[in-house]
């Protein structure tokens, strides 16, 4: 009877204590969150209750397993399994706690500072710091798990002795990976590119969606994803439209007839911009920038607060101006002349219509 009751009591007590302690801790965190609604730390710490309870249960079972007298023939294996579970759950708990602290710090910073560029920079740094912390905790946890095996402890001395040679070999073999790793840290703390920045890379316009220690993802305007190694951004030039102030200046071109009403177009441009919410009101203008024998190039200059709005302003101005010209001034649109050109009268002494026609038809008809 004792051989049955003892394991049940030990295991049942461990599980019961885990549930009770976990419930009490969650209740305290909930009360703290209600008393401090300005801080999201306590609510984020509640997300770690699963690894927290797993750590409690594994620790209690590992400590009381000797008294349970359960699976005596597999005592070493069960004990080692509980130790591995305890190490893994502890690593999981540390990562969750670190994530809660880091996210809370970022949230407070974002509330205190209203500069989007600085907020994106801190967000990029926080994201990469969290990835580094997770990687370090994971490596330490795996190393601790391996050291629970006697064979691995015996091999530790030889591994340390050959660490110098292995480090050189690994450095040469992983040269590209290490360069990307250091490039990721340089991007995070060098404020070169941040999450949410609008960039132009290899002719592709998009927004930085994800930054890791090894690669960077750009989401294009048509919702494609371009994944590039972070070392590209430290060794190649690229456009960052969010660098500094996000305000931008855009231009719109039209090719029109020489008779286009420029003053009326300037007035219409002002009316279009006044009705466009994306225009920031900083500047606008319309000038002729080029001329050809058949058309002239007209350029409108507009401004907006960021890259998205400047695109909206440009397409709005282009569309509404063409619609207005087609309806009110159709002669201003480029056209192909199919009638005879007006001939200068000074080329022929007597401006007789028939003689003029015969004179200008001579080379074309080939009459001699």
């Amino acid at each position: 009877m004792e051989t049955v009751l003892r394991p049940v009591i030990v295991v049942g007590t461990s599980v019961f204590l885990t549930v009770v302690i976990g419930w009490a801790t969650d209740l305290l965190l909930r009360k703290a969150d209600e008393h401090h609604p300005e801080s999201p730390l306590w609510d984020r710490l509640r997300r770690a209750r699963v690894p927290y309870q797993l750590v409690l249960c594994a620790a209690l079972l590992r400590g009381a397993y000797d008294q349970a007298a359960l699976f005596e023939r597999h005592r070493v294996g069960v004990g080692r399994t509980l130790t591995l579970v305890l190490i893994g759950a502890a690593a999981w708990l540390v990562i969750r706690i670190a994530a809660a602290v880091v996210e809370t710090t970022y949230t407070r910073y974002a509330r205190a500072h209203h500069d989007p560029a600085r907020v994106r920079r801190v967000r990029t740094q926080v994201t990469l710091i969290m990835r580094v912390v997770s990687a370090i905790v994971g490596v330490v946890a795996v190393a601790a798990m391996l050291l629970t095996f006697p064979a691995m402890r015996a091999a530790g001395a030889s591994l340390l002795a050959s660490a110098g040679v292995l480090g050189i070999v690994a450095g040469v073999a992983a040269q590209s990976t290490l360069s990307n790793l250091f490039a990721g840290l340089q991007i995070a703390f060098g404020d070169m590119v941040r999450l949410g920045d609008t960039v132009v890379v290899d002719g592709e316009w998009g927004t930085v969606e994800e930054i890791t220690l090894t690669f960077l993802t750009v989401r294009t305007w048509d919702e494609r994803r371009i994944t590039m190694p972070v070392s590209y951004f430290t060794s190649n030039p690229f456009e960052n439209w969010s660098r500094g102030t996000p305000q931008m200046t855009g231009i719109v071109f039209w090719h029109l007839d020489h008779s286009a009403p420029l003053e009326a177009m300037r007035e219409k441009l002002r009316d279009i911009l006044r009705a466009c919410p994306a225009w920031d009101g900083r500047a606008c203008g319309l000038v002729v920038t080029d001329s050809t024998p058949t058309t002239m190039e007209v350029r409108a200059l507009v401004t907006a607060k960021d890259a998205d709005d400047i695109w909206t302003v440009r397409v709005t101005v282009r569309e509404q101006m063409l619609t207005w010209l087609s309806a009110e001034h159709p002669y201003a649109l480029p056209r192909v002349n199919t009638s005879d050109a007006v001939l200068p009268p000074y080329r022929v002494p007597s401006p007789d219509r028939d003689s003029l026609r015969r004179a200008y038809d001579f080379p074309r008809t080939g009459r001699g």
Side-chain angles (χ1 to χ4, degrees), residues 250-271:
I251 55 177
V252 181
F253 285 104
W254 298 279
H255 292 277
L256 305 175
D257 189 80
H258 293 100
S259 59
L262 297 178
E263 289 301 327
M265 290 181 64
R266 291 187 178 98
E267 292 296 330
K268 184 60 178 178
L269 175 64
R270 298 188 189 99
D271 294 340

Side-chain angles (χ1 to χ4, degrees), residues 6-7 10 60-70 72 75:
R6 179 179 294 181
V10 171
L60 291 174
L61 289 176
R62 185 67 183 89
Y65 177 71
D66 293 336
Q67 286 74 28
L70 185 65
E72 289 290 337
R75 181 176 181 180

Side-chain angles (χ1 to χ4, degrees), residues 16-329:
F16 176 76
L17 289 177
T18 299
V19 174
V20 171
I21 296 175
W23 175 81
T25 304
D26 186 70
L27 180 62
L28 292 176
L29 291 176
R30 188 182 307 169
K31 293 293 184 181
D33 183 52
E34 292 176 356
H35 286 82
H36 302 280
E38 75 283 353
S39 176
L41 175 62
W42 311 110
D43 181 64
R44 289 190 168 97
L45 284 176
R46 292 183 61 199
R47 302 176 186 175
R49 57 182 177 270
V50 174
Y52 175 67
Q53 291 178 344
L54 190 58
V55 168
L56 287 176
C57 186
L60 291 174
L61 289 176
R62 185 67 183 89
Y65 177 71
D66 293 336
Q67 286 74 28
L70 185 65
F71 300 115
E72 289 290 337
R73 298 178 56 183
H74 305 283
R75 181 176 181 180
V76 176
V78 173
R80 185 169 294 140
T81 301
L82 292 174
T83 302
L84 294 177
V85 173
L86 178 61
I87 294 174
W92 187 10
L93 178 61
V94 170
I95 292 175
R96 283 294 181 89
I97 294 176
V101 174
V102 170
E103 290 177 7
T104 302
T105 304
Y106 167 73
T107 302
R108 290 179 176 177
Y109 185 88
R111 290 176 180 175
H113 297 79
H114 302 286
D115 185 2
R118 295 180 62 182
V119 173
R120 288 199 304 270
R121 180 185 63 188
V122 173
R123 180 186 173 191
T124 303
Q125 294 175 353
V126 163
T127 301
L128 293 181
I129 288 175
M130 199 56 233
R131 293 181 185 275
V132 172
V133 170
S134 300
I136 293 175
V137 172
V139 170
V140 172
V142 172
M145 289 179 180
L146 292 177
L147 291 178
T148 59
F149 297 91
M152 296 301 299
R153 288 198 299 267
S158 60
L159 289 175
L160 291 175
S162 59
V165 178
L166 290 177
I168 296 174
V169 175
V172 175
Q175 183 177 2
S176 176
T177 302
L178 291 176
S179 64
N180 283 328
L181 177 63
F182 289 118
L185 294 175
Q186 183 178 353
I187 285 177
F189 297 98
D191 197 22
M192 184 180 303
V193 62
R194 299 154 298 199
L195 290 171
D197 280 3
T198 302
V199 297
V200 179
V201 182
D202 287 342
E204 296 285 351
W205 180 90
T207 304
V208 178
E209 186 177 54
E210 183 181 8
I211 300 178
T212 69
L213 292 176
T214 55
F215 67 89
L216 185 147
T217 302
V218 177
R219 178 173 55 86
T220 61
W221 65 273
D222 54 356
E223 298 185 356
R224 291 179 293 117
R225 267 69 176 178
I226 302 176
T227 301
M228 313 180 72
V230 292
S231 59
Y232 174 90
F233 292 86
T234 59
S235 57
N236 295 281
F238 65 95
E239 296 183 29
N240 189 342
W241 291 7
S242 302
R243 186 75 175 179
T245 60
Q247 297 175 344
M248 296 198 68
T249 300
I251 55 177
V252 181
F253 285 104
W254 298 279
H255 292 277
L256 305 175
D257 189 80
H258 293 100
S259 59
L262 297 178
E263 289 301 327
M265 290 181 64
R266 291 187 178 98
E267 292 296 330
K268 184 60 178 178
L269 175 64
R270 298 188 189 99
D271 294 340
I272 294 173
L273 291 177
R274 291 190 191 102
C276 181
W279 183 53
D280 63 357
R282 287 190 296 122
C284 69
L286 188 143
V287 295
V288 177
T289 55
D290 198 4
S291 177
T292 68
T294 56
T295 61
M296 65 178 178
E297 185 183 73
V298 181
R299 186 198 71 183
L301 183 144
V302 294
T303 59
K305 63 181 179 65
D306 55 30
D308 292 335
D309 282 355
I310 199 64
W311 171 261
T312 303
V313 174
R314 290 176 62 195
V315 296
T316 301
V317 169
R318 183 182 295 110
E319 177 183 347
Q320 295 190 17
M321 185 66 75
L322 287 176
T323 303
W324 176 75
L325 287 174
S326 299
E328 303 293 335
H329 304 278

